[in-house]
Amino acid sequence: MKVFFSSPIQGIDSVEKYIRAIDIQLKDLGYKNIDNLIERLNDGDYYETLNKGGKKAHEDFFAKTISGIKLADLTMFECTIPSLGIGFQVEKSIEYNKPTVILYLKDNLPHFISGIQSDKLLVYEYEADNLSSVINKAIVAARQVTDKRFNFFISPSLLTYLEEESTKQGITKSAFIRQLILEHKKKKKS
């Protein structure tokens, strides 16, 4: 399975050992990290190198990040250190309907992210002595909120209608059907 695991790298001295431990545990569990977080950590001057590359390097970094989030089966972010960039990535992950795990060191609750209302967002506090069990618990929870494939047959006329309407709205057929189900669900609750 593919995971997009990331964290800010500036100012993370206090949590770097945990980030590396999380990366190792994910690998031990059979996950492949799509992000190059550890390479960036190992390159002490990553942002300096990025800046030397100019606008093109920044565009490539952005595109690679977004592509990684899209390809991942789940995303995981260490959010002890506040970061607008990581906040943006979290929002994109939720937008792409990915199970999104937020980890933070005890007493460092990421307040703004914790306010996001999404059943795909899973927020976990950890300490040095329980990091491994917290990661395992988070992955189990992420698997439970992963979308499930559902195939069904419809008539050609319904398929034509579905294709026309989803194209008009600029969304996939699946997204259109999900939207209809959610609207119906909201009506039933009212």
Side-chain angles (χ1 to χ4, degrees):
M1 289 190 61
K2 297 174 293 240
V3 63
F4 182 90
F5 170 55
S6 197
S7 164
I9 62 172
Q10 290 182 321
I12 63 148
D13 296 341
S14 63
V15 293
E16 182 175 348
K17 66 182 177 186
Y18 302 118
I19 291 168
R20 291 182 184 279
I22 293 165
D23 184 68
I24 289 168
Q25 185 170 351
L26 290 171
K27 285 178 185 166
D28 289 348
L29 291 170
Y31 284 90
K32 177 184 185 316
N33 188 4
I34 297 172
D35 190 40
N36 66 346
L37 171 63
I38 300 303
E39 291 171 29
R40 291 194 316 268
L41 280 175
N42 292 338
D43 178 358
D45 297 323
Y46 178 77
Y47 286 113
E48 186 177 315
T49 304
L50 186 64
N51 287 335
K52 285 180 184 173
K55 185 170 175 42
K56 174 77 171 117
H58 285 85
E59 289 171 351
D60 290 347
F61 177 58
F62 179 86
K64 185 176 179 183
T65 300
I66 297 302
S67 175
I69 291 170
K70 287 180 179 179
L71 288 172
D73 297 308
L74 72 95
T75 62
M76 184 176 286
F77 301 93
E78 206 298 339
C79 291
T80 299
I81 307 299
S83 166
L84 290 174
I86 293 297
F88 177 81
Q89 292 172 45
V90 167
E91 186 60 32
K92 281 296 183 187
S93 176
I94 293 168
E95 180 182 320
Y96 296 136
N97 214 23
K98 302 292 180 175
T100 306
V101 175
I102 303 299
L103 301 170
Y104 67 93
L105 190 56
K106 185 177 179 176
D107 298 328
N108 291 281
L109 177 69
H111 299 286
F112 195 75
I113 288 175
S114 297
I116 296 172
Q117 299 293 312
S118 171
D119 62 343
K120 298 288 185 178
L121 184 67
L122 307 162
V123 180
Y124 291 91
E125 177 181 87
Y126 70 88
E127 296 181 67
D129 62 347
N130 73 350
L131 179 58
S132 181
S133 65
V134 168
I135 291 170
N136 287 330
K137 182 178 171 182
I139 288 174
V140 167
R143 286 183 181 151
Q144 291 175 348
V145 298
T146 300
D147 289 337
K148 307 293 187 251
R149 179 173 289 278
F150 175 68
N151 296 324
F152 64 101
F153 297 100
I154 60 174
S155 70
S157 65
L158 286 177
L159 180 59
T160 300
Y161 178 78
L162 178 59
E163 288 171 342
E164 289 171 355
E165 289 302 310
S166 63
T167 301
K168 281 181 195 174
Q169 292 185 27
I171 58 176
T172 65
K173 295 183 291 268
S174 297
F176 182 78
I177 292 169
R178 275 193 298 272
Q179 187 178 51
L180 290 175
I181 293 169
L182 289 171
E183 288 171 7
H184 185 268
K185 187 176 174 183
K186 284 179 187 175
K187 284 180 187 177
K188 292 284 274 185
K189 285 185 178 180
S190 331

